[in-house]
Amino acid sequence: MEPTDQIMVTCGAVLAVLALVATLAERRRLRRTDLDRVGFMPWNAIFLFAFLGAVLLIGVGGRHWLGV
């Protein structure tokens, strides 16, 4: 595997973890007990862009693992 592929897969894994954190934060925000304490972070948008980047980077970087 080339070094650029390793970098892409590593960055994709970091973005996947960020997408997981955004999902958990959005779930926490939705289940809050004090409805007056609204958040200002756009967790859905953060999840969308992080997940999209993770899928693209892991897909492009991992193509050598699949032999394509």
Side-chain angles (χ1 to χ4, degrees), residues 17-37:
V17 170
L18 178 64
L20 177 66
V21 168
T23 301
L24 295 174
E26 179 66 19
R27 178 183 164 107
R28 181 175 179 244
R29 186 187 69 82
L30 288 175
R31 297 173 54 94
R32 67 186 183 274
T33 56
D34 187 7
L35 296 178
D36 291 333
R37 295 189 53 163

Side-chain angles (χ1 to χ4, degrees), residues 3-61:
T4 55
D5 293 332
Q6 290 176 342
I7 292 171
M8 283 192 282
V9 171
T10 303
C11 291
V14 169
L15 285 175
V17 170
L18 178 64
L20 177 66
V21 168
T23 301
L24 295 174
E26 179 66 19
R27 178 183 164 107
R28 181 175 179 244
R29 186 187 69 82
L30 288 175
R31 297 173 54 94
R32 67 186 183 274
T33 56
D34 187 7
L35 296 178
D36 291 333
R37 295 189 53 163
V38 295
F40 64 91
M41 293 299 291
W43 292 116
N44 287 329
I46 292 171
F47 167 77
L48 176 70
F49 291 120
F51 187 73
L52 179 66
V55 168
L56 289 174
L57 285 172
I58 291 173
V60 171

